[in-house]
Amino acid sequence: MSLAPATNIQTSPIDAWLEHTTRIQARFNRLIKNDSIAYMESICTLYLADHNKDAIHEQTILLSKLQKSIYKCHSEILQLSGVGEELSRVEHVKKIILTTMSWVEEVFCSAIVNWTEVQHLYHEQSFLYQKS
């Protein structure tokens, strides 16, 4: 027997998509451990130590899933409420995810060229994440 009163509160579609956005942001923050620069440092230093491009590629796959989800939220919020505060909240999360994704892709593209390319760019502080 439940002691909590039964409530029949319906959340609006906009609120549901905003909650989904919050969950995406939480998953992203868990992935990067709340620090995108440290996340990128770990990707680079791990690659420089073991020369394994697959580890970087796995991160792009994880981020692309979040990217796809945030694009869906963006599209739905835009359709439901147009341009406004709700869309701005989604765009903020989208920007953080896309920025990190671009940083990982940059390192991955350099790793595809060769290990020394990553080593050179890393030590010269030439990756975009190192300039932010």
Side-chain angles (χ1 to χ4, degrees):
M1 181 163 140
S2 174
L3 298 177
T7 57
N8 192 11
I9 300 174
Q10 296 281 340
T11 58
S12 74
I14 293 170
D15 289 339
W17 284 108
L18 289 174
E19 287 173 20
H20 188 57
T21 298
T22 301
R23 288 190 303 273
I24 293 166
Q25 185 175 21
R27 286 190 350 237
F28 172 74
N29 286 335
R30 277 192 305 276
L31 176 67
I32 67 162
K33 297 183 175 91
N34 294 314
D35 187 340
S36 56
I37 301 297
Y39 170 73
M40 291 304 304
E41 280 292 311
S42 70
I43 288 173
C44 282
T45 56
L46 185 61
Y47 174 71
L48 291 172
D50 69 9
H51 304 217
N52 183 3
K53 291 184 290 251
D54 293 337
I56 303 171
H57 187 247
E58 288 169 14
Q59 295 304 306
T60 63
I61 291 169
L62 292 171
L63 286 166
S64 69
K65 291 176 183 177
L66 294 172
Q67 181 180 347
K68 181 179 177 183
S69 295
I70 201 65
Y71 275 137
K72 177 71 173 165
C73 289
H74 185 272
S75 175
E76 293 295 330
I77 291 287
L78 183 59
Q79 290 296 318
L80 291 167
S81 69
V83 177
E85 162 134 10
E86 294 89 356
L87 188 65
S88 291
R89 288 168 53 191
V90 177
E91 286 179 340
H92 173 73
V93 175
K94 185 176 106 176
K95 180 181 178 188
I96 294 167
I97 292 171
L98 295 181
T99 298
T100 304
M101 178 69 160
S102 71
W103 291 346
V104 174
E105 288 174 337
E106 178 190 27
V107 173
F108 185 56
C109 288
S110 297
I112 289 171
V113 172
N114 65 30
W115 179 83
T116 56
E117 180 73 8
V118 175
Q119 182 184 40
H120 172 74
L121 292 171
Y122 180 77
H123 290 296
E124 293 292 319
Q125 301 275 309
S126 295
F127 283 119
L128 289 175
Y129 83 89
Q130 293 172 314
K131 297 177 183 179
S132 60

